[in-house]
Amino acid sequence: QWPLTSLTFAFTDEDAKGSLVWAAHDDFGPFRWSYIVGVDLKEDIAITPMRLLQGMSCSCHSRMVAWEVEIGQTIQKVQLFSDSFPFMLSKSKPLNLPYEVNSPPHTHYNVAPVLPNGMAFLGETNKWASMSFGRVASLEVDSKDISISVIGAPAEIVYFTYMDNAMKVDEFSQVKCIFPASCSESDQHGNNYCRLSLTCRRDRGCTCDGLQLKESSLRGQIV
């Protein structure tokens, strides 16, 4: 059911021009990752951090990055934005699915904050919810490091995307986490799962449980 049941509010001001735009969120302390869906948008709509925060107060959200989500596809473009320079949620286009579906066109963007060390951790960019609590158990940030506890199934391989410098670098990279074949923890349904520690430091990239499993950089465009 995630994330559709969590689309909890709509933008109703005049900027929406009568269109339906929702956002769901995953919050880790003062930091918010957002998932924005627009249904049958006829025009582009301006999105700012203030609109997404909905009353949260934190100067750490002065800049954010956004990218369009196409399920199963590699991220193509990242936009840096702020309250002074919003990003434009583009008008909807037909669903690109390998089967027939009776559904209106939609637009789907995910948003991540620029963190205190200047990095942006985008998460699993090929999924609807890139920083779901089902994957990310905890996140801690200081002026130098990002420390993340991630969860996965036995032998699962997961890729996380990040930007080493969200404001100046025109590329993003991936780090690969390989979960062990045997896990000791179980969820409420009896399914085993493992935890790994993922650490990121500015100018050094991200490592998963101490292993430098950084993939080749993905060329992108920051606008």
Side-chain angles (χ1 to χ4, degrees), residues 7 39-40 53 62 74 82 103 150-151 175-176 221:
L7 298 180
V39 179
D40 200 18
L53 295 179
S62 60
T74 302
S82 65
S103 178
V150 295
I151 297 172
V175 60
K176 178 168 63 175
Q221 181 180 359

Side-chain angles (χ1 to χ4, degrees), residues 15-214:
D15 287 343
K17 305 177 179 68
S19 300
L20 299 176
V21 183
W22 293 275
H25 313 286
D26 279 313
D27 295 333
F28 296 89
F31 303 103
R32 168 165 286 183
W33 279 254
S34 296
Y35 319 117
I36 308 170
V37 176
V39 179
D40 200 18
L41 303 185
K42 305 301 183 185
E43 302 180 58
D44 295 349
I45 297 173
I47 302 293
T48 64
M50 184 179 296
R51 299 187 74 186
L52 294 173
L53 295 179
Q54 294 288 296
M56 286 182 68
S57 178
C58 180
S59 59
C60 52
H61 291 91
S62 60
R63 296 178 187 269
M64 306 183 86
V65 293
W67 65 96
E68 187 170 12
V69 177
E70 295 189 35
I71 304 302
Q73 300 298 311
T74 302
I75 183 172
Q76 298 295 323
K77 183 179 179 181
V78 177
Q79 300 181 58
L80 178 67
F81 71 101
S82 65
D83 287 330
S84 301
F85 300 95
F87 93 87
M88 302 306 295
L89 186 68
S90 57
K91 63 182 180 181
S92 301
K93 55 188 177 183
L95 298 177
N96 183 23
L97 297 174
Y99 49 85
E100 293 290 332
V101 60
N102 183 22
S103 178
H106 78 275
T107 302
H108 178 193
Y109 276 75
N110 284 358
V111 172
V114 176
L115 298 169
N117 65 353
M119 300 179 74
F121 193 82
L122 280 57
E124 294 183 273
T125 54
N126 63 339
K127 292 188 175 181
W128 274 78
S130 58
M131 289 287 286
S132 167
F133 287 124
R135 176 70 73 193
V136 180
S138 65
L139 179 143
E140 297 181 1
V141 181
D142 59 29
S143 61
K144 294 182 179 179
D145 297 329
I146 308 169
S147 300
I148 305 172
S149 175
V150 295
I151 297 172
E156 186 177 11
I157 298 175
V158 181
Y159 294 87
F160 296 97
T161 302
Y162 65 93
M163 297 168 62
D164 192 66
N165 186 329
M167 290 183 282
K168 296 182 179 179
V169 179
D170 63 349
E171 65 179 39
F172 27 89
S173 302
Q174 285 188 328
V175 60
K176 178 168 63 175
C177 290
I178 304 174
F179 290 88
S182 178
C183 304
S184 59
E185 297 186 71
S186 300
D187 62 20
Q188 64 269 32
H189 304 293
N191 299 313
N192 288 348
Y193 66 90
C194 306
R195 293 179 187 266
L196 291 178
S197 296
L198 196 158
T199 302
C200 303
R201 173 166 284 196
R202 179 75 173 270
D203 299 326
R204 296 185 185 179
C206 296
T207 61
C208 203
D209 261 12
L211 300 177
Q212 188 70 28
L213 296 174
K214 178 179 177 180

